[in-house]
Amino acid sequence: MLLFVFGLITLSVLGTKGDKDALLYRVDISLPPVEGRDETADILSIKKTVKGLTGVDVLFSFKELGNPKIVLVLDVEKACSWPQLTGYLSSQGYVFSVEALYHCSDYAQELGVNIPKDMWATSFGDEELIIDVNTFPVKELSTLEYNNQMKWKFERDMDILNSGQKGACFRTLAGFPVQLMYFAPVNSSGIDAIEEFVHAAGNLVSEITQIQNLEYYTGQC
C-alpha cells in the first residue's frame, strides 16, 4: 500500500472534487518508540481527540493487534477540518499517513454490479476483526478481462454478504492496480475461508492484518 506524507498530499487529495466520495480517507497513525512513552495513554488520547473533531465523521477506528498503530476511516466535510487532526498528531510527534478512498458500492456500480450500501456494515462490536487488503495486478489482462475479474469479485462479495457475513469495503482512489480494503469480523475458520478464496481468485494479492475496534480499546488485559 502506498503511504503518503500528509503535508505533501493534502492540497492534491482534498482538491479532488470530481469524485462524490473524494473526502473519504484512511489515516494510519503510528506511535514511534520513545523512552517513557505510555502507549495506552497515548492511544486513549487519540481515541478521545478524534471523536471530538468538528466536521470530521469517524466511520471506523481500529488498533492493530500487537502494534502501536491506529487505523481510521474518516469522512471529512471540509478541507479546513484537517488542521484539528494534523495539528494534534504533529504536536505529539506521531507518524501518520493518509490515503483517499471511495466506497466499494460506487465502484461496483460502475462495473454494473448493484451492491446497496446498506448491505455493508457501518459498525462492529467487540469481536475479532481483520483488515483484508486485496490488490489486483493488471499483468497481461485486457481492460475487459480486468473489469470482468472485478465484477466476479463483487458478485462473490454479494454471495458472502447474503450469507450473513458482516463486512465493510472501500477502494483506494488510485487508478491501477485496483486495491480493495475490507474490514470484517473473522475467526480462524474464517481466515481459512479467505485464504481458500484468494487461491481460487488467482490474480489477487491479499494482505491480512488483525485489528480490534478502537471503541472498545482500554489497554487492559
Side-chain angles (χ1 to χ4, degrees):
M1 180 182 297
L2 295 177
L3 298 180
F4 301 94
V5 178
F6 187 89
L8 296 179
I9 68 163
T10 300
L11 293 178
S12 61
V13 171
L14 292 179
T16 307
K17 301 294 185 181
D19 189 271
K20 54 182 171 293
D21 285 331
L23 297 183
L24 290 180
Y25 300 96
R26 169 175 171 165
V27 181
D28 288 45
I29 306 167
S30 297
L31 281 63
V34 175
E35 184 176 356
R37 179 188 295 282
D38 186 337
E39 178 183 304
T40 296
D42 280 4
I43 291 174
L44 292 176
S45 178
I46 294 172
K47 172 182 171 181
K48 179 180 178 180
T49 300
V50 169
K51 287 185 67 174
L53 296 177
T54 302
V56 177
D57 185 16
V58 182
L59 303 184
F60 297 101
S61 59
F62 306 106
K63 178 190 176 296
E64 283 194 8
L65 287 183
N67 292 314
K69 181 178 179 180
I70 290 174
V71 178
L72 308 173
V73 176
L74 306 178
D75 186 349
V76 181
E77 293 181 6
K78 297 179 181 179
C80 57
S81 301
W82 275 113
Q84 302 170 84
L85 177 61
T86 59
Y88 167 74
L89 296 176
S90 297
S91 69
Q92 301 300 310
Y94 302 141
V95 177
F96 56 101
S97 60
V98 179
E99 204 164 24
L101 308 172
Y102 68 104
H103 206 283
C104 281
S105 286
D106 294 325
Y107 178 43
Q109 188 69 47
E110 294 171 10
L111 297 170
V113 181
N114 181 31
I115 308 181
K117 287 186 179 180
D118 59 10
M119 290 191 70
W120 300 104
T122 57
S123 64
F124 297 101
D126 186 14
E127 51 199 325
E128 292 186 34
L129 300 167
I130 61 166
I131 300 175
D132 184 15
V133 178
N134 291 176
T135 303
F136 299 82
V138 178
K139 294 188 176 179
E140 302 300 323
L141 297 177
S142 67
T143 300
L144 177 60
E145 290 170 334
Y146 197 86
N147 287 343
N148 283 338
Q149 172 185 247
M150 301 311 304
K151 288 176 66 175
W152 178 84
K153 179 68 170 71
F154 284 124
E155 289 167 354
R156 175 59 175 157
D157 286 346
M158 285 282 287
D159 292 337
I160 294 173
L161 293 171
N162 283 324
S163 73
Q165 172 69 38
K166 290 176 61 178
C169 178
F170 299 90
R171 179 188 166 175
T172 58
L173 197 57
F176 294 96
V178 168
Q179 192 172 78
L180 304 180
M181 179 176 64
Y182 294 88
F183 302 118
V186 70
N187 50 32
S188 57
S189 61
I191 291 178
D192 290 341
I194 290 172
E195 291 178 346
E196 181 180 349
F197 170 70
V198 169
H199 290 305
N203 191 36
L204 162 63
V205 178
S206 176
E207 180 183 351
I208 296 175
T209 304
Q210 290 186 291
I211 55 175
Q212 62 185 122
N213 194 332
L214 191 62
E215 184 68 25
Y216 297 91
Y217 178 80
T218 63
Q220 300 176 352
C221 297

